[in-house]
Amino acid sequence: MSASRVTIVEVGPRDGLQNEAAAVPTDVKVAFVDALSAAGLPVIEATAFVSPKAIPQLADGDEVFRRIAKRPGVRYPVLVPNEKGLDRAEASGAREIAVFTAASETFNRKNINASIDESFARFAPVIRRARTAGMRVRGYVSCVFGCPYEGAIPPPSAARVARRLIDAGCDEVSLGDTIGVGVPTQVPEVVECCVDAGVPLSRLALHFHDTRGTALANVAEGLRQGVRIFDSSAGGLGGCPYAPGAAGNVATEDLLYLLHGMGYETGVDLSLVAAATRALSGAIARRPASRVYQALESARGPRPV
Ligand code: HMG
Ligand code: MG
């Protein structure tokens, strides 16, 4: 892959919607994923097969996954916490999963009711089965810079968990700034620590939430470090119900504006991502946070009444 090519992993339909207060109808979710596919996004995390008690918003994940149009060449991973989730993923026809753990023991306990060691024990059979079935597996490490319960997390703690995910069979590891506390000087620290721990740079993704407005600056620093996979959500939706106060992911529109302006290629049409956000925005109870989306909306002028 050329050094100027960046892969965007669109997580709006999962990370974005999981934290929305208003129940979003299944039809709207399906249309949202289809619109994101039409925008040229190469990877779209379509939903989560977690406990519906933990995340009621995504309880309809099975139906959403079955109904979305699967564009050739587009990957549609789903978030899976355990073997039950993998059963649902397989039954729905998913070809790619994402497992998730954290660099913080307390966050993991709140999020998935497991210690870090227990989480690995829980998804070892999930990864084994998925790989045997020919599925691709992504692993998330949450709280790589900080935890809402434990405070600052030392980079080696995040790197240890990232390496364990690779050793467990993950194809790719996404480092999550779950609560959006990281600043650019911390990005090389954690990336270098992961690479030193044996995680290949080409298999590292960065996943920034934008709680304090540092996400795009962190992306720019990640690019300087050679990272070429970034997670984002259309409109800047998102957050984690188990990370109090955490805002949405860096917005896909804002990320695209930055990347294209800096000369990187993504294959994604920014105006079509904004159209997907616009179509969804009526179903969520707030204005999408994306600055670029807002600028595009202003340029369109007032909506007809
Ligand atoms: P638990 O209560 O310890 O597990 O939850 P359990 O196995 O005892 O199950 C409890 C109930 O849930 C049972 O139902 C199970 O059948 C059911 P009951 O018998 O009480 O009626 N259940 C399921 N149902 C459907 N699908 C499943 C499933 N599993 C169990 N897969 C568990 C443990 C992990 C299941 C739960 O805590 C959970 O689902 N947590 C998910 C929380 C979550 O989705 N958080 C947000 C995603 S992570 C994130 O956003 C961070 C990330 O974006 C990166 C970053 O930003 O850092 C990835
Ligand atoms: Mg997240």
Side-chain angles (χ1 to χ4, degrees):
M1 188 190 288
S2 108
S4 64
R5 185 85 189 177
V6 169
T7 300
I8 296 186
V9 177
E10 168 62 49
V11 295
R14 192 281 300 171
D15 205 344
L17 293 182
Q18 74 184 11
N19 208 33
E20 285 304 323
V24 177
T26 304
D27 287 353
V28 174
K29 292 175 184 167
V30 172
F32 183 43
V33 176
D34 287 351
L36 293 168
S37 294
L41 284 151
V43 190
I44 303 171
E45 199 169 74
T47 189
F49 293 134
V50 298
S51 164
K53 287 179 189 144
I55 308 285
Q57 177 72 264
L58 301 183
D60 60 354
D62 313 67
E63 186 183 344
V64 169
F65 196 87
R66 271 196 296 273
R67 286 178 48 197
I68 56 173
K70 318 293 188 307
R71 283 214 168 201
V74 178
R75 292 161 32 207
Y76 298 93
V78 293
L79 197 73
V80 159
N82 52 19
E83 288 202 83
K84 186 164 189 171
L86 180 60
D87 293 341
R88 291 173 61 198
E90 287 187 323
S92 305
R95 298 299 310 140
E96 178 165 344
I97 62 164
V99 297
F100 54 112
T101 185
S104 150
E105 292 286 0
T106 314
F107 178 79
N108 238 13
R109 178 62 63 194
K110 303 262 186 199
N111 195 36
I112 55 172
N113 194 23
S115 67
I116 297 172
D117 283 349
E118 285 164 353
S119 71
F120 276 90
R122 190 184 280 170
F123 52 62
V126 174
I127 297 175
R128 212 171 25 245
R129 272 180 54 197
R131 292 193 67 88
T132 304
M135 291 174 155
R136 195 176 190 282
V137 182
R138 164 177 249 229
Y140 282 105
V141 188
S142 285
C143 301
V144 296
F145 298 120
C147 165
Y149 310 103
E150 293 183 10
I153 299 287
S157 305
R160 257 194 310 276
V161 178
R163 172 62 197 259
R164 278 180 82 174
L165 284 166
I166 293 288
D167 290 345
C170 289
D171 297 285
E172 179 177 302
V173 174
S174 176
L175 302 174
D177 184 7
T178 317
I179 54 171
V181 285
V183 295
T185 45
Q186 290 177 286
V187 175
E189 288 171 7
V190 79
V191 168
E192 278 168 22
C193 222
C194 286
V195 171
D196 289 348
V199 182
L201 190 58
S202 60
R203 289 161 71 180
L204 264 186
L206 293 173
H207 177 112
F208 294 114
H209 285 263
D210 200 25
T211 315
R212 292 166 182 80
T214 56
L216 275 185
N218 292 341
V219 167
E221 190 53 43
L223 288 164
R224 269 166 44 87
Q225 298 305 310
V227 176
R228 292 292 179 269
I229 311 168
F230 294 91
D231 302 354
S232 62
S233 83
L237 303 166
C240 174
Y242 300 94
N249 300 88
V250 65
T252 307
E253 293 92 332
D254 300 3
L255 178 61
L256 286 168
Y257 183 83
L258 180 96
L259 291 172
H260 294 168
M262 290 174 77
Y264 291 95
E265 296 156 24
T266 64
V268 184
D269 184 324
L270 167 49
S271 61
L272 290 181
V273 175
T277 299
R278 188 177 309 118
L280 177 80
S281 64
I284 56 173
R286 61 193 171 90
R287 188 166 79 136
S290 165
R291 303 289 290 268
V292 170
Y293 172 79
Q294 288 175 20
L296 289 171
E297 287 303 281
S298 306
R300 276 162 59 89
R303 289 188 190 190
V305 276

